[in-house]
Amino acid sequence: MHFKWNYEQPTPEQQQAAKELAEKIGMSPVIGQLLFRRGIKTESAAKRFFRPMLNELIDPFLMNDMDVAVDRLNDAMGRKERIMVYGDYDVDGCTAVALVYKFLQQFYSNIEYYIPNRYEEGYGISKKGLDYAAQQGVKLIIVLDCGIKAIEEIAYAKSLGIDFIICDHHVPDDVLPCAVAILNPKRVDSTYPFKHLCGCGVGFKFMQAFAKNNGIPFSQLIPLLDFCAVSIAADIVPVMGENRILALHGLKQLNQNPSVGLKAIIEICGLTGREITMSDIIFKIGPRINASGRVQNGTETVDLLVEKDIQKALTEATHINEYNEQRKDIDKQMTEEANQIVERLESQEHQSAIVLYDEGWKKGVVGIVASRLTEIYFRPTVVLSCQDGIASGSARSVAGYDIYDAIKSCRDLLENFGGHTYAVGLSLRVENIPEFRRRFQEYVSTHIHPEQTEALLEIESTLDFKDISKRLQNDLKKLAPHGPDNPKPLFCTRNVYDYGTSKVVGRQQEHIKLELVDSQSSNVMNGIAFGQSAAARYIKSKCSFDIVYSIEENIYKRGEVQLQIEDIKPSDQ
């Protein structure tokens, strides 16, 4: 991997302002710079950022239709109507369904949940699901993380005497479904101050409003915040504003008193006793929650998330872990096949986007493969499989590029599509794939900036080793949780040398354990460079080199600062 390093030197005025801010809040000037880069420029804004409080959550009734949604839910309960909580089969959908169902079940028993089968029903609201709801006597469906484009399906539900409350965060079309209430901060007419909630976040706001309207203490919502943290991390939404409040307090809940279902997943992941971070959710917890919907049926995931008995939960978590192992095998095979196809496409390096189709690929993992290919080739990527003559799949984007707009430009070729900036689901007739590929690639090529297709490391500050201390590392921890709009800071130090004790480590000798000095101090810094053993020969040559890294705590030697090195280059490059 050849990374391009990007660093914008702050102006003297910006440096001075950042230094003054850091002094006011009693932190290192480095932290002042990082805050400025995140648009935080005042002492009060910095204090809110570092101490996000639950009482700072936005009034849920500022969201369009919230009062209507709460009234309809109250009416349903008052009339003892059967209520269905319906959601998508991914992490966001399953956690949203679990959150709403678990909260309402405390006050109302005539309620059930439903997750569509990915392979039999496809994405979103299905006719099969609606027919089942009608058979069960359901009069109100609360749909989460989907539904914003289900115009025909919701009209059909209305003909069956079923009302809908939509809780979604995907980009709506100009025409909205005929639901009783549509809760979506991305509505064109939205009056809600924060646009970037995930589906689970919208569900939480609905329950917050319901609680407020019915005199239920806010404290009864706090145990559900772990679902919000899992969803925010897995759905890759900006970790700023209201999401930062929900994520930080959700992580606190996840670490101190997680729900029984999540506690079982944490144990299966081998995370018990460790401080769980957003990265742990993205790479360990999230994939296991996703695996059930990808390999089997997402209903099993919700069964686990709402389980109250720890022994039953551990048994269910073991099943889901088995699905995850199956998913990894399928994912690996499909990624290898997709890589071979890309490598055979001689023109691919000149294309700004990748579109791949194979009728034999498993529908449940095309999104993961699209993500992998995006990471490898730094191109917006669409991966499609086939079922009953209809190709369906997932699109994933690179940082800073809106793939939703690119897919939308081809909407006349599509049967259906929906999503947001970085991830879109779509379906089209197989015969339309060649024209879709041509037009999609043409649109991307004329709208993407060349630097968006490069492997880029965004450096936030340059440091000398004498600047790195336990105090700085502690201050940096306060910037968490990390995610879009609040990435983990990367730093650069130039002209560093091997102290003489660096060595290659790992089962296959693929990593480097480093002990380094720089030209400005005698401080010896420990570091780890995963998967970069190819640089070992140069490091041992006694020549100087530059490094980009994040500052971490060594989990094996508590209290010791360690550099996690992302890239290494000879100093003269």
Side-chain angles (χ1 to χ4, degrees), residues 22 31 45 57 97 164 190 217 232 275 328 334 336 356 386 398 452 464 472 495 528 538 546 554 573:
I31 301 296
L57 287 171
V97 168
F164 260 86
S190 176
I232 287 165
E275 183 179 356
K328 284 196 285 189
M334 283 178 58
E336 287 172 359
L356 295 181
C386 182
V398 292
Q452 290 174 320
D464 295 327
L472 175 60
N495 297 305
I528 184 76
Y538 186 87
D546 304 338
N554 187 333
Q573 283 195 3

Side-chain angles (χ1 to χ4, degrees), residues 21 32 34-42 45-47 49 240:
L21 175 61
L34 300 180
L35 291 174
F36 258 65
R37 286 178 64 89
R38 285 154 178 73
I40 300 162
K41 300 182 179 180
T42 65
K47 285 178 177 174
F49 178 80
M240 293 293 270

Side-chain angles (χ1 to χ4, degrees), residues 520-546:
Q520 300 299 311
S521 69
S522 58
N523 291 14
V524 179
M525 290 301 308
N526 292 313
I528 184 76
F530 293 112
Q532 297 183 60
S533 57
R537 183 176 292 179
Y538 186 87
I539 288 167
K540 302 303 285 185
S541 71
K542 298 184 180 178
C543 296
S544 71
F545 50 96
D546 304 338

